[in-house]
Amino acid sequence: MLAETMMNFRNQLQEQGIAFCYCGFMTEDLLLGIGNTIKRKLEHSEIDKKKSKSVFSIFVEQMQNVIRYSAERETQVDKAELSYGIVSVGESDGQVFVTCGNVIEANDVPRLKEGLDKIKSLDKKGLKALWKETLKGETPEGSKGAGVGFIDIARRAEGGIEFDFAEIDASRSFFTIKAFI
Amino acid sequence: MNTLQINTTERSPEIFFDFDNNNFIIKGESYPEDVKEFYGPPLTKLEDYLNDLEDADVRFTFEFIYFNSSTAKILMGLFELLDEVAERGNTVSVIWVYEEDDDNMEELGEEFGEDLEHATFIMQAQ
């Protein structure tokens, strides 16, 4: 029974073409470990070097997003924070994809949606312009990075990006972004 | 000798600032846990130094394998600083070294370099 449950779970992931999936608390150490594993896996795959670099890069941006912005987090005794989220890498219809998901505050949904709608509507040239403008501008309030992560993801995702929100309750939603390379 | 050196790690680049010879190098991978914590101290020292510089010949080399978007923001600020130093009359060469088959790093170099108005920008495949 135990083995069957786990096997079914694994099969479910495999049916979606998922080669790698992690769900749970995330830290920067974990990002480094998983990142290195993905890098090694890509080096020995048939994917070309440029694509491999894009996959690695998008993975880093997505996982750092979860670590920085997941609303589902625990503060440890030593003040270290653990963020909860899910990240996966897979391949379907000849395209590699990187997906991540995490809980966010309901208040943040409109702002995030607006930003991502804009990014999604831009072509290569428009993305470059927005990327530069953002790099040269002030770091947005509440941002622990450069506020440029999603633009970077869209620039490298040659197959485009998809994103979605699922309401959990009045105060929280689940956010997902999927990038196709 | 007045130098600042930070050794490379798996996720942060080597920094070598040779203030006596105005030769500065950042080289490696860059996706540190906290970019401000990593780049803050060396870049503050660099900025203080460069802001007082006159009639000097400055050479700044970037040699990245990979950098994340937070690092890109730091780099944009650094390019702006170097262009200002050149605008004040110093001779500034910015060298962007990339692996020959790394189209992405080549493109990023071009994108950073195209905004330089006073510094000389050199792309170097290797």
Side-chain angles (χ1 to χ4, degrees):
Chain A
M1 190 61 199
L2 180 64
E4 205 179 317
T5 308
M6 283 311 266
M7 184 178 68
N8 287 341
F9 183 45
R10 187 205 68 159
N11 290 348
Q12 249 180 1
L13 294 173
Q14 286 196 341
E15 276 159 26
Q16 293 176 54
I18 291 172
F20 168 86
C21 182
Y22 175 85
C23 179
F25 285 105
M26 294 186 185
T27 59
E28 287 281 343
D29 286 342
L30 191 69
L31 161 75
L32 193 63
I34 298 175
N36 280 338
T37 311
I38 290 177
K39 231 188 220 173
R40 204 167 308 154
K41 175 81 177 67
L42 289 167
E43 273 168 19
H44 297 102
S45 73
E46 287 167 9
I47 301 166
D48 67 53
K49 197 172 170 184
K50 186 179 178 188
K51 232 177 179 181
S52 296
K53 283 203 158 191
S54 294
V55 172
F56 176 74
S57 174
I58 290 173
F59 164 78
V60 171
E61 296 299 331
Q62 287 198 0
M63 196 154 159
Q64 284 194 321
N65 254 327
V66 174
I67 292 169
R68 288 167 181 170
Y69 303 116
S70 174
E72 204 174 353
R73 57 202 310 134
E74 266 179 18
T75 307
Q76 305 294 99
V77 190
D78 61 358
K79 295 272 172 21
E81 286 200 329
L82 294 174
S83 311
Y84 199 93
I86 181 165
V87 60
S88 68
V89 181
E91 196 172 348
S92 66
D93 302 326
Q95 274 189 318
V96 179
F97 60 81
V98 185
T99 317
C100 74
N102 58 272
V103 175
I104 59 168
E105 303 287 340
N107 299 342
D108 292 329
V109 175
R111 184 184 49 84
L112 195 55
K113 188 177 179 310
E114 195 189 336
L116 285 167
D117 274 333
K118 184 178 174 187
I119 289 170
K120 217 182 154 180
S121 73
L122 296 171
D123 61 5
K124 210 172 173 219
K125 221 174 139 187
L127 280 172
K128 181 187 159 185
L130 182 66
W131 179 74
K132 276 208 168 173
E133 187 191 318
T134 312
L135 288 184
K136 287 178 180 177
E138 292 294 311
T139 301
E141 207 172 310
S143 174
K144 293 165 199 158
V148 77
F150 288 132
I151 308 169
D152 195 75
I153 290 171
R155 270 165 53 93
R156 293 179 190 263
E158 292 196 344
I161 57 166
E162 280 174 15
F163 63 91
D164 200 13
F165 302 91
E167 193 181 304
I168 299 168
D169 55 38
S171 65
R172 293 176 311 155
S173 277
F174 193 81
F175 164 66
T176 297
I177 182 165
K178 187 171 187 176
F180 297 90
I181 301 109
Chain B
M1 200 164 80
N2 186 13
T3 58
L4 185 156
Q5 180 155 18
I6 297 172
N7 291 328
T8 181
T9 74
E10 259 185 315
R11 61 187 310 172
S12 61
E14 176 191 346
I15 291 185
F16 182 70
F17 291 168
D18 178 354
F19 295 98
D20 290 336
N21 295 302
N22 292 320
N23 190 26
F24 308 94
I25 299 165
I26 301 182
K27 179 181 176 176
E29 306 223 23
S30 179
Y31 54 116
E33 185 168 345
D34 186 336
V35 280
K36 284 173 198 135
E37 194 181 297
F38 178 76
Y39 284 103
L43 292 193
T44 303
K45 192 173 177 200
L46 177 76
E47 200 173 339
D48 287 347
Y49 172 78
L50 291 179
N51 281 338
D52 292 335
L53 206 60
E54 279 171 24
D55 297 324
D57 208 343
V58 176
R59 191 181 161 87
F60 206 115
T61 308
F62 296 92
E63 192 177 337
F64 282 111
I65 298 162
Y66 165 70
F67 58 84
N68 68 351
S69 65
S70 311
T71 301
K73 175 112 185 159
I74 301 281
L75 294 182
M76 188 58 89
L78 195 46
F79 268 67
E80 283 173 341
L81 170 71
L82 291 168
D83 210 35
E84 281 162 26
V85 173
E87 191 179 5
R88 286 205 326 272
N90 297 286
T91 306
V92 180
S93 300
V94 179
I95 299 132
W96 187 269
V97 183
Y98 59 96
E99 283 179 54
E100 201 170 17
D101 59 349
D102 192 346
D103 299 345
N104 195 260
M105 200 49 79
E106 182 179 0
E107 203 177 316
L108 285 164
E110 284 163 0
E111 288 172 349
F112 278 111
E114 67 193 12
D115 292 344
L116 292 174
E117 288 175 18
H118 307 280
T120 307
F121 187 63
I122 300 153
M123 296 279 288
Q124 199 175 298
Q126 70 167 25

